Amino acid sequence: CGPNDGAQCSVYFMRTKKRVKTVIYPKQSKDGNFTACCFTGDSQALITIAGSDMIIWDWMSQKVKHTISLGATNVSRVSCPPTSISGQIQITTSGKQHLRIWSVSGDAAVKPVPIFKEHEHFVDHCWLNTDGGIQRMAAVTEGTSAEMGGQRIGTVLLFQSIDEPPYLEYRRTMTVLL
């Protein structure tokens, strides 16, 4: 796409390396690109981030299902748990001073739920499946300089999925030397 065509994301069939679909978001973001994307756990929807918008796609039909304003937050990562509550799409986003979970159901208004320590710089997060179907999420913060020895210290926060809002429960913090 040219610079005025909007952001685009292509989906490929990995076995054949053939492009299956390309979604194009015509609204111009600051940099004109998608900066993060993921599939929902059931692979029925594609979630993309373009500037201050989170877009939920029915990627097979290339139609936008929802556009959610992220406001002035700086989202660098988006992911979905492997399974969601029936009838809902759950999405987690992270970035500078940002770790939130979103629940989207039908055409209902979407409100983010801050998860933990919004003052941290979250550089990444991921979902983990464990035996017994328990879903956990790990979030990693950017390291800060320690007072002694000049080493950097980061944290890994662990959460467990629960059935009621905010849908995640804080379990543990691990400190790591970087």
Side-chain angles (χ1 to χ4, degrees), residues 76-90:
S76 58
R77 179 92 165 96
V78 61
S79 69
C80 294
T83 57
S84 290
I85 296 171
S86 181
Q88 292 185 4
I89 297 173
Q90 290 178 300

Side-chain angles (χ1 to χ4, degrees), residues 14 21 35 47-48 62 64 69 82 93 123 141 145-146 176:
M14 294 303 295
K21 299 280 182 184
T35 55
I47 316 299
T48 58
Q62 300 168 301
V64 173
S69 175
T93 54
V123 294
T141 66
S145 294
V176 292

Side-chain angles (χ1 to χ4, degrees), residues 60-153:
M60 287 298 289
S61 69
Q62 300 168 301
K63 303 270 189 234
V64 173
K65 293 168 72 172
H66 298 278
T67 301
I68 301 163
S69 175
L70 298 170
T73 60
N74 184 10
V75 173
S76 58
R77 179 92 165 96
V78 61
S79 69
C80 294
T83 57
S84 290
I85 296 171
S86 181
Q88 292 185 4
I89 297 173
Q90 290 178 300
I91 305 163
T92 49
T93 54
S94 62
K96 187 172 183 178
Q97 298 179 335
H98 180 97
L99 180 61
R100 297 190 180 131
I101 189 163
W102 309 74
S103 240
V104 181
S105 179
D107 293 328
V110 178
K111 290 188 178 179
V113 177
I115 298 173
F116 192 81
K117 290 188 177 182
E118 293 264 273
H119 64 280
E120 299 275 0
H121 182 172
F122 292 95
V123 294
D124 204 355
H125 71 275
C126 67
W127 284 91
L128 313 162
N129 260 347
T130 61
D131 292 335
I134 296 171
Q135 296 183 119
R136 293 195 169 97
M137 187 188 77
V140 181
T141 66
E142 181 177 65
T144 57
S145 294
E147 290 182 24
M148 302 201 120
Q151 288 186 312
R152 294 179 58 81
I153 298 174

